[in-house]
Amino acid sequence: MLPAGAALEVIDPEGEQVADLAVFLARDPNEYFSAGRTIDYNERIALTAGDTLYSAGSIPLLRIEEDDVGTHDLLVTPCSERMFELMRGMRNHPSCLANLRDALAPHGIPEVLISSTFNIFMDVRVSADGRITIGPPPSRAGDGIVFRALEDLVIGLTACSSEFSNAGRCKPIGYRVIPEA
Amino acid sequence: MLPAGAALEVIDPEGEQVADLAVFLARDPNEYFSAGRTIDYNERIALTAGDTLYSAGSIPLLRIEEDDVGTHDLLVTPCSERMFELMRGMRNHPSCLANLRDALAPHGIPEVLISSTFNIFMDVRVSADGRITIGPPPSRAGDGIVFRALEDLVIGLTACSSEFSNAGRCKPIGYRVIPEA
């Protein structure tokens, strides 16, 4: 639970790690973070300080206040067991979706509402012909991003389990909550 | 209801019109079409003949079999009353989301599951700095796209209500269902 007015800082302590952020309005989890609405309202797929994350029903959820990196992804969904099976032939692989599902279930949020995530420090590039390529995260040790809560929110956060997104090594992600001044 | 094996053809009879397509697995509407999963598995934001649309739980829903246009959008969400208010200051504007919600409700599909749509003939371009711009639909009169159902599906389809996406004039969209041969 992140109360309105508080800030969430997400830190990459070792560098080159991705963190998937899921966001829900506390009073109505059907107002889940929507990458599509967020792209529409910001008129950009690349968000940074000053930009706002929106819910499916167009409610402003979080505003980015500080950003050491400036590279985050809104296009792809959190990695899942099924994704590792389909794309890599790997079974029972740990995944962001499983981490978020297990962490959010006690808060009454079902997996079906984990629709899209804000993929912090993830470098997904779009080429002129529409192809996407995933590069290593450009975050260096100690880099961070700060989000301000615009409503009372439930937050899910996981370090990325995919060796294909985090430069081949699953590392920790740090965070802290900064109460409203 | 589009049974597995049948095809759905969507036609733009006058040209320069967008149609938003919502797709659900008939036996479990929680398996809604996911733009994010679809981008991930196709490794592209630009889909055309041969490409597959996936659900949130990674189930293949539809395959594109024919495509006269080759320009469709996976980035933005269907236009909504709230979007017209926030972005344009227009109140009570007709919208794709309202059309889909009203058409899908009798089939037991709540609005919260209309998470993302496949925006047929919609031209959303991404510039090198991540900005998006929406151009007029490149479809000409009579152009179409054919989807093959890979499962029993519930389909929502609407002609676009946004004068900002369809070159300034709200026109009809045609469709037909082609039973399995």
Side-chain angles (χ1 to χ4, degrees), chain A residues 30 32 36-37 39-41 43-45 58 75 77-78 80 82-83 86-87 112-113 115 126 130-132, chain B residues 30 32 36-37 39-41 43-45 58 75 77-78 80 82-83 86-87 112 115 126 130-132:
Chain A
N30 285 346
Y32 52 82
R37 289 261 169 252
I39 291 171
D40 213 359
Y41 291 134
E43 300 185 63
R44 286 209 306 285
I45 62 167
S58 304
L75 300 182
T77 31
S80 68
R82 189 74 186 123
M83 186 212 79
L86 281 175
M87 296 188 81
V112 66
L113 296 183
S115 168
V126 180
R131 292 196 69 80
I132 63 167
Chain B
N30 285 347
Y32 52 82
R37 289 261 169 251
I39 290 170
D40 213 1
Y41 291 134
E43 301 186 61
R44 286 208 307 284
I45 61 168
S58 304
L75 300 183
T77 30
S80 67
R82 188 76 185 122
M83 187 214 78
L86 281 175
M87 296 189 80
V112 66
S115 169
V126 180
R131 292 195 68 80
I132 63 166

Side-chain angles (χ1 to χ4, degrees), chain B residues 123-144:
Chain B
D123 187 12
V124 177
R125 294 176 195 190
V126 180
S127 62
D129 67 352
R131 292 195 68 80
I132 63 166
T133 50
I134 299 176
S139 45
R140 296 155 307 173
D143 279 347

Side-chain angles (χ1 to χ4, degrees), chain A residues 106-122:
Chain A
H107 300 277
I109 294 173
E111 180 175 344
V112 66
L113 296 183
I114 307 172
S115 168
S116 51
T117 45
F118 184 79
N119 304 315
I120 300 169
F121 310 138
M122 186 172 186

Side-chain angles (χ1 to χ4, degrees), chain B residues 80-92:
Chain B
S80 67
E81 287 178 31
R82 188 76 185 122
M83 187 214 78
F84 285 108
E85 281 181 32
L86 281 175
M87 296 189 80
R88 310 284 180 176
M90 303 163 84
R91 297 183 72 88
N92 301 312

Side-chain angles (χ1 to χ4, degrees), chain A residues 50-168:
Chain A
D51 293 329
T52 299
L53 281 64
Y54 288 84
S55 75
S58 304
I59 297 172
L61 301 175
L62 289 169
R63 181 169 301 122
I64 304 175
E65 287 200 339
E66 300 172 33
D67 182 5
D68 293 333
V69 178
T71 297
H72 317 285
D73 171 62
L74 283 171
L75 300 182
V76 300
T77 31
C79 63
S80 68
E81 287 177 31
R82 189 74 186 123
M83 186 212 79
F84 285 107
E85 280 181 33
L86 281 175
M87 296 188 81
R88 311 284 180 176
M90 303 163 85
R91 296 183 73 87
N92 302 313
H93 194 290
S95 72
C96 286
L97 184 62
N99 291 346
L100 293 169
R101 178 189 65 211
D102 295 348
L104 290 164
H107 300 277
I109 294 173
E111 180 175 344
V112 66
L113 296 183
I114 307 172
S115 168
S116 51
T117 45
F118 184 79
N119 304 315
I120 300 169
F121 310 138
M122 186 172 186
D123 188 12
V124 178
R125 294 175 194 191
V126 180
S127 62
D129 67 351
R131 292 196 69 80
I132 63 167
T133 50
I134 299 176
S139 45
R140 295 154 308 172
D143 279 347
I145 180 170
V146 176
F147 302 91
R148 180 74 56 184
L150 306 175
E151 300 274 355
D152 290 346
L153 301 172
V154 175
I155 301 275
L157 180 71
T158 178
C160 185
S161 311
S162 173
E163 54 272 56
F164 309 103
S165 300
N166 59 25

Side-chain angles (χ1 to χ4, degrees), chain A residues 2-47:
Chain A
L2 186 72
L8 170 70
E9 182 177 22
V10 178
I11 306 127
D12 184 351
E14 300 182 21
E16 293 197 335
Q17 175 59 306
V18 163
D20 281 14
L21 182 77
V23 192
F24 304 86
L25 193 65
R27 67 176 182 273
D28 179 8
N30 285 346
E31 291 292 349
Y32 52 82
F33 167 68
S34 166
R37 289 261 169 252
T38 298
I39 291 171
D40 213 359
Y41 291 134
N42 289 278
E43 300 185 63
R44 286 209 306 285
I45 62 167
L47 264 54

